[in-house]
Amino acid sequence: MAESGAWWRQGIFYQIYPRSFQDSDGDGVGDLAGIVHRLPYLLTLGVDAIWLSPIFTSPMADFGYDISDYTGIDPLFGTMEDFDALVRAAHESGLKVILDLVPNHTSDRHPWFVEARRSRDNPRRDWYIWRDPKPDGGPPNNWLSEFGGSAWQYDQATGQYYYHAFLAQQPDLNWRNPAVRAAVYDVMRFWLRKGVDGFRVDVIWHLIKDAEFRDNPANPGYIEGRPPHERILPRHSTDQPEVHQVIAEMRKVLDAFGDRVLIGEIYLPIERLMAYYGKDLSGAHLPFNFALLSAPWHARDIERIIAEYETALPPGAWPNWVLGNHDRPRVASRVGAEQARVAAMLLLTLRGTPTLYYGDEIGMRQVAIAPDGVRDPFEKNVPGIGVGRDGCRTPMQWNATPNAGFSTAAPWLPVAEDFMHENVVNLTADKRSILNLYRALIRLRKRHVALVAGHYRPVAAEGDLLLYRRDGEGEILTIALNLGDDPVSLATEGSGLEGQILLSTHLDRDGEPIHGTLDLRGNEGVVIGRSL
């Protein structure tokens, strides 16, 4: 059972995509020393923990999600000494450090897999998932790779297929093998001893596959133009009941090191997501809640999503919310620049731990990547339908100097064309910028316990208006969000909406009393406070 005062309940997480945050050595790719250099910025922003996408040794077929050494730092990002310096500097600044753990698969260049494919009787053979061909020589079943094509790759030397949920260069580990579990738990202990404060576990719902390798059923709701792997439902290749035992074992590894956090990447409907908290909350502390990443941006839809999530949570489980990440289009492009400010207020006033994605706080938009500049293997394998993730991974826009202050060299992905105006330096100087809104929201959250630990209470509303309250510790905060372009006027007498505005997304109404009527401009949100 998690403690009510745990740091990961109270804190705000910030995801860094290391390749794109800050380059310190002029090779066009971000690195660990660059992150250290930018820690003061993160402190002024007010976040409490940084989560780093993979920095381990890798051939970079999937930009670090194909690991060839779980306990090494890829030279592209620096050295182990650089990592130690980052952890030390972060901790001295009061920041926690969370690593990306990628246990579902390795690189095909990992020594484990190099051994496994040498022969059928190699001791490492059962560390991966091998199956004989069908009688016609074809793949063992109909499972599909999320990056296109069959999920089975034929190995000519040994006459069997191996399973890969993603690229053929990313063979899946066999998590039914106790030796695999022990090896990965040792990896976790290695980093925990180095002071890491927890892990975000990549595709955690993929870890266990059906023991009988049954075909997946067809997806009757498949929509043409969607990624081809969605033609089948991954009923037998993901979300198997036995996965929860694995997660409970991971949790025990962390618990042995004290106050650490286990976060799971899980793209599942809310009702199935809840199982990942584990029996008696012995699973992931925070199974990532991605509902807002694909939600229709309408008040009633958002209201329904929040209600369903809050209702589904097991007793004592702690919620969390996410607006963006390294796999999904930027929020400012999904909902528009004006609503991105309203979305920020939503994220930072809902009950639960919020995770920010680097650059969202300056309103970075999805960047169009020319066909000859595509780097993402997903887009290369499944071109023409807009699955590319490069556009949300472009370099952080620090200032108006060449390459946005990210690097002295041409960056690995192009910088957004608007960087001359939309950058940290300019937006810091603009008192009403989205960056200063994020800073104000984070300060407000830290000042008012009700926003961190208070109850969530929906308030009936209509049209484009979303209303809810957070109450506790002798205060009530009402959040009113206008998700539409048109102004909204709401009678407040007897509604409990009276008080004073603590913050507007326009950053121009602090202290304004609300009595009788609440008027919201189009695309405006406010936080109203009053004492109990």
Side-chain angles (χ1 to χ4, degrees), residues 3-43:
E3 295 181 7
S4 60
W7 63 267
W8 47 266
R9 285 179 173 241
Q10 301 173 10
I12 297 167
F13 292 9
Y14 185 93
Q15 181 189 356
I16 292 174
Y17 195 69
R19 296 180 70 93
S20 297
F21 200 60
Q22 180 66 60
D23 173 23
S24 72
D25 59 6
D27 64 356
V29 178
D31 47 45
L32 295 173
I35 296 171
V36 173
H37 177 67
R38 294 299 184 179
L39 289 181
Y41 165 75
L42 297 175
L43 295 177

Side-chain angles (χ1 to χ4, degrees), residues 6 54 72-73 103 132 192 229 242 264 290-291 399 411 429 431 438 443 445 454 511 524:
I73 300 295
D132 289 330
L192 290 165
H229 74 273
E242 301 96 321
F290 295 132
N399 55 46
K431 293 182 180 180
Y438 265 94
R443 288 195 299 271
R445 186 179 178 91
E524 182 182 23

Side-chain angles (χ1 to χ4, degrees), residues 140-410:
N141 62 26
N142 71 343
W143 296 359
L144 297 177
S145 163
E146 293 207 8
F147 285 174
S150 172
W152 296 96
Q153 179 70 26
Y154 187 65
D155 181 62
Q156 191 73 40
T158 58
Q160 284 187 314
Y161 285 87
Y162 66 84
Y163 177 72
H164 58 93
F166 299 93
L167 295 175
Q169 298 99 313
Q170 294 169 291
D172 280 40
L173 285 163
N174 175 17
W175 272 85
R176 293 182 181 275
N177 185 334
V180 169
R181 299 188 188 191
V184 175
Y185 301 158
D186 281 344
V187 167
M188 296 171 69
R189 294 184 186 99
F190 173 87
W191 294 107
L192 290 165
R193 291 187 185 106
K194 281 190 162 288
V196 166
D197 298 289
F199 300 98
R200 173 267 192 190
V201 184
D202 187 59
V203 298
I204 200 169
W205 83 109
H206 273 260
L207 294 183
I208 296 286
K209 286 75 171 172
D210 177 44
E212 299 177 31
F213 294 93
R214 289 168 286 185
D215 278 355
N216 278 324
N219 179 4
Y222 177 73
I223 300 171
E224 287 297 333
R226 293 287 301 162
H229 74 273
E230 294 181 8
R231 292 181 184 276
I232 61 173
L233 298 172
R235 184 172 298 163
H236 301 300
S237 50
T238 66
D239 193 29
Q240 300 300 293
E242 301 96 321
V243 75
H244 301 294
Q245 176 60 38
V246 171
I247 298 170
E249 291 171 5
M250 288 183 172
R251 173 67 178 274
K252 286 183 179 178
V253 173
L254 265 77
D255 286 349
F257 286 81
D259 196 11
R260 313 295 172 101
V261 67
L262 184 65
I263 305 167
E265 183 198 25
I266 306 151
Y267 283 94
L268 288 174
I270 285 175
E271 66 274 10
R272 288 162 64 193
L273 178 68
M274 293 302 117
Y276 286 78
Y277 281 102
K279 184 180 179 181
D280 298 325
L281 303 187
S282 61
H285 294 103
L286 300 174
F288 260 147
N289 168 20
F290 295 132
L292 294 179
L293 291 180
S294 56
W297 202 251
H298 304 296
R300 302 288 69 79
D301 289 300
I302 301 297
E303 180 181 63
R304 174 184 52 78
I305 286 169
I306 299 169
E308 289 177 355
Y309 182 64
E310 282 279 351
T311 301
L313 284 165
W318 189 245
N320 69 94
W321 296 93
V322 177
L323 274 180
N325 65 27
H326 61 292
D327 287 329
R328 295 300 176 99
R330 288 275 183 184
V331 62
S333 295
R334 296 200 315 268
V335 305
E338 291 181 307
Q339 278 295 312
R341 301 173 73 102
V342 176
M345 183 168 280
L346 175 71
L347 177 70
L348 289 161
T349 58
L350 284 172
R351 191 175 79 95
T353 301
T355 296
L356 281 57
Y357 182 51
Y358 87 96
D360 280 353
E361 76 276 14
I362 61 171
M364 282 178 61
R365 297 170 177 83
Q366 193 78 359
V367 175
I369 306 295
D372 61 356
V374 169
R375 306 292 299 275
D376 183 8
F378 192 5
E379 175 71 11
K380 288 182 177 181
N381 286 359
V382 189
I385 62 172
V387 297
R389 301 166 297 173
D390 292 332
C392 66
R393 300 175 174 183
T394 56
M396 181 68 175
Q397 296 160 211
W398 295 106
N399 55 46
T401 63
N403 303 319
F406 163 72
S407 177
T408 57

Side-chain angles (χ1 to χ4, degrees), residues 69-127:
D69 181 359
Y70 280 109
T71 57
I73 300 295
D74 196 275
L76 196 64
F77 301 120
T79 64
M80 189 62 77
E81 289 72 23
D82 292 324
F83 176 78
D84 292 337
L86 170 58
V87 172
R88 185 166 56 251
H91 285 172
E92 288 173 355
S93 301
L95 291 170
K96 304 289 188 181
V97 179
I98 298 162
L99 287 187
D100 224 312
L101 181 68
V102 187
N104 178 70
H105 47 264
T106 69
S107 166
D108 61 351
R109 300 188 197 176
H110 194 293
W112 297 345
F113 188 72
V114 171
E115 286 188 44
R117 74 189 312 176
R118 281 180 180 155
S119 68
R120 292 195 182 197
D121 58 1
N122 188 280
R124 299 265 194 214
R125 186 70 170 185
D126 192 47
W127 283 44

Side-chain angles (χ1 to χ4, degrees), residues 297-304 339 342 459-468 478-492 495 497 518-521 523-526 528:
W297 202 251
H298 304 296
R300 302 288 69 79
D301 289 300
I302 301 297
E303 180 181 63
R304 174 184 52 78
Q339 278 295 312
V342 176
V459 178
E462 297 179 350
D464 292 323
L465 188 62
L466 178 64
L467 288 174
Y468 53 93
T478 301
I479 293 86
L481 305 176
N482 184 358
L483 273 66
D485 297 327
D486 298 326
V488 174
S489 186
L490 186 68
T492 62
S495 67
L497 291 173
L518 170 62
D519 295 311
L520 292 177
R521 292 163 284 191
N523 305 300
E524 182 182 23
V526 295
I528 303 166

